[in-house]
Amino acid sequence: MKTHDDIRAFWEHRLGADWTETGVGYRALGRPFNLWMYRVRWEAFLREAGALELDRPNTRVLDVGSGTGFYVRGWQHLGVGSVTGCDLTEAAVENLRERFPDAKFMRLDIAEPGDAIEPAGYDAASCMDVLFHIVDDERYKAALASIAAAVRPGGYFVLSENFLHRPVQRGDHQVNRTLEWITAELDRVGFEVQRRVPMLVLMNAQVDAGPVWRKLWGGTLRAATLTNPTGWLAGAALYPLERRLVRSRRESPTTELMICRRREDSAG
């Protein structure tokens, strides 16, 4: 298994070389396709995060694994009072500080944040497409505990994950865990799940589908995105269908967005 230092070096190199939607997204499909994919993500995030019962001008948000700042921008678009972002890599933090001068950014490992994060200091936290890159289960649990400690009782946690109904899938840089396991760990640290909705349906790897469809659709996407022009056309063609599917389906074979709330009786 890769060590924690190996994993950090991997992401430091990847984001240092490609600080774009491709660097943090589905790299094999190229940037033009990823840009269309992130349009769908943007709409889903704004719809769900925008429905939270928050006094937005006075809301403090912690964004974990900020990457390129895509969801930092989303929170700012919603008009929250302040956003604090953090990332494992120095490459991301340096760029984020330049891109978002009105936000605060910290270089830290959310599984071992030390005293960098104010306890119960945030009304909401987000962790988007990050947790499945924590390949060690104990570090994943520690990350959830750190996020829970940062969110005030009654506050919200917005996350995206691959909530599998199938057995866990383990790789060097990504582990797709089961819905049952993830929700149990969320409950353990004091979060109640309020809802879970598709964030993508067809525009990502079909990790929770059967092996035949998963390989067939994955091959189709990679073939359609071999060049930047064909990737742009594939994204443009799928985009209107994807928007409808995300809104109409209750579950997805790929990335889903979950809204949790920290229990009022959670220990500080």
Side-chain angles (χ1 to χ4, degrees):
M1 177 183 286
K2 298 281 187 180
T3 68
H4 177 60
D5 287 342
D6 290 336
I7 292 168
R8 180 184 171 189
F10 169 83
W11 286 106
E12 197 76 63
H13 175 75
R14 178 162 166 170
L15 293 183
D18 185 10
W19 194 62
T20 68
E21 293 82 357
T22 313
V24 296
Y26 193 164
R27 196 173 189 179
L29 302 184
R31 192 174 184 212
F33 186 87
N34 271 278
L35 288 172
W36 283 106
M37 180 200 296
Y38 270 88
R39 288 180 67 176
V40 180
R41 291 178 181 272
W42 177 259
E43 293 175 11
F45 177 81
L46 291 186
R47 183 180 67 250
E48 296 301 322
L52 301 181
E53 297 177 359
L54 293 168
D55 176 15
R56 291 189 202 169
N58 295 310
T59 290
R60 299 181 66 198
V61 172
L62 175 67
D63 182 60
V64 177
S66 296
T68 63
F70 185 81
Y71 298 101
V72 172
R73 181 179 288 112
W75 284 115
Q76 291 183 338
H77 182 84
L78 290 171
V80 301
S82 68
V83 181
T84 297
C86 62
D87 199 272
L88 181 65
T89 69
E90 198 64 48
V93 170
E94 289 179 1
N95 286 318
L96 286 162
R97 286 171 177 162
E98 289 187 19
R99 178 173 286 181
F100 301 97
D102 295 333
K104 176 184 176 182
F105 295 97
M106 303 177 286
R107 209 295 296 169
L108 60 80
D109 179 351
I110 193 59
E112 300 180 79
D115 59 1
I117 300 175
E118 179 184 348
Y122 299 92
D123 304 291
S126 53
C127 190
M128 309 298 291
D129 287 2
V130 171
L131 291 168
F132 48 61
H133 291 303
I134 303 176
V135 296
D136 181 88
D137 288 348
E138 294 306 311
R139 295 186 72 83
Y140 189 109
K141 294 176 183 179
L144 288 184
S146 297
I147 295 168
V151 177
R152 63 167 175 80
Y156 294 95
F157 180 30
V158 183
L159 67 151
S160 62
E161 253 283 13
N162 297 318
F163 301 99
L164 298 189
H165 296 82
R166 296 170 178 274
V168 63
Q169 302 163 1
R170 297 188 179 273
D172 286 342
H173 298 289
Q174 182 166 325
V175 174
N176 300 317
R177 297 173 173 89
T178 67
L179 172 64
E180 180 181 19
W181 189 90
I182 295 170
T183 53
E185 291 306 316
L186 287 166
D187 178 72
R188 182 181 62 82
V189 298
F191 284 119
E192 291 181 345
V193 176
Q194 294 197 318
R195 60 186 179 274
R196 175 174 53 91
V197 299
M199 193 165 199
L200 296 166
V201 178
L202 293 175
M203 296 182 80
N204 205 0
Q206 306 288 283
V207 295
D208 204 21
V212 174
W213 171 249
R214 182 178 180 180
K215 290 181 180 179
L216 176 63
W217 186 246
T220 299
L221 283 182
R222 287 189 292 273
T225 57
L226 280 175
T227 69
N228 284 341
T230 59
W232 189 93
L233 289 171
L238 278 175
Y239 172 69
L241 173 60
E242 188 78 331
R243 292 183 71 205
R244 290 195 296 273
L245 290 173
V246 164
R247 286 178 173 271
S248 63
R249 289 177 62 104
R250 295 181 60 186
E251 292 194 324
S252 165
T254 184
T255 310
E256 294 176 316
L257 188 150
M258 178 179 278
I259 302 293
C260 302
R261 195 163 193 179
R262 192 172 180 211
R263 290 193 292 269
E264 293 284 359
D265 60 353
S266 296

